[in-house]
Amino acid sequence: WLKLRSTSADHLAHMDVLLGELGCMAGVSPDDITRELTWVRTQPKEAATVLRKRLPNYKGKDYFPPEREGSSVVTKEGKAVVEEAIKYLESLETMGGVGTSSELALGLAAEDHVADIGYTGVVSHSSSDGSCAADRVSRYGRFRSTAESLWYGSAKADARTIVLDLIVDDGVASRG
């Protein structure tokens, strides 16, 4: 689970990050995600090169990530969406990083949502009480704007994989 705060429509611009309990169970900390976001923003061409290494792991719409040791993820778009993400990254100019540590308030809001939807089994940006990301974040602090990205993946994934998965955004037409 990854929560992002963005002050721009560009899903790589001005992000603060936090990772809820599920990611922490995978051995990935919110600070790991923050550092990977900084890497992508400051080195988008390098990120595109890393993402390009995924392409041979596709067989049609089945993606065989190395961390899954032979099991596949059935994607909605196949490698075309990865190629789109590569072009996007290659078109970016270097941006400023987001730092090396996450915001505690965002982490608390994410943990609330993880506990709620994990318990109910719902895949949604809305909590069972009807609250959205901005509502949950406002319980812990004030931010100019908020946005939310949810990540569902393997407990074996590392922070870089999570961030690159969010950039690819398979099956999300808006990519944001």
Side-chain angles (χ1 to χ4, degrees):
W1 299 85
L2 183 71
K3 311 284 183 175
L4 304 174
R5 177 175 58 82
S6 176
T7 58
S8 163
D10 179 315
H11 68 277
L12 287 181
H14 308 291
M15 292 182 184
D16 284 325
V17 66
L18 64 97
L19 189 64
E21 293 170 351
L22 186 61
C24 292
M25 288 190 292
V28 176
S29 75
D31 292 346
D32 294 335
I33 298 290
T34 302
R35 284 188 289 274
E36 290 303 319
L37 284 170
T38 291
W39 167 72
V40 168
R41 288 171 52 88
T42 60
Q43 299 177 58
K45 311 279 188 281
E46 183 179 317
T49 299
V50 171
L51 200 51
R52 185 172 279 106
K53 293 176 183 175
R54 288 187 176 195
L55 294 174
N57 297 328
Y58 279 85
K59 292 187 175 111
K61 292 190 177 182
D62 292 337
Y63 172 54
F64 294 84
E67 71 273 7
R68 292 225 177 174
E69 301 170 351
S71 65
S72 69
V73 175
V74 179
T75 67
K76 295 184 183 333
E77 300 175 78
K79 70 179 179 179
V81 69
V82 178
E83 292 166 339
E84 178 186 320
I86 291 167
K87 284 182 185 177
Y88 171 73
L89 288 168
E90 289 175 338
S91 74
L92 293 178
E93 297 297 324
T94 298
M95 296 177 254
V98 295
T100 58
S101 61
S102 65
E103 294 281 338
L104 178 60
L106 296 175
L108 295 170
E111 287 179 10
D112 288 352
H113 194 51
V114 168
D116 179 58
I117 68 172
Y119 175 76
T120 62
V122 173
V123 177
S124 176
H125 288 285
S126 296
S127 292
S128 62
D129 66 0
S131 63
C132 67
D135 297 330
R136 290 186 295 275
V137 168
S138 70
R139 295 174 191 152
Y140 297 102
R142 295 186 59 153
F143 296 88
R144 279 185 294 180
S145 63
T146 59
E148 175 177 76
S149 294
L150 304 178
W151 179 83
Y152 301 84
S154 169
K156 296 179 181 179
D158 61 14
R160 182 163 289 182
T161 297
I162 293 169
V163 170
L164 292 175
D165 285 352
L166 288 167
I167 293 167
V168 170
D169 229 359
D170 178 64
V172 180
S174 68
R175 303 285 188 248

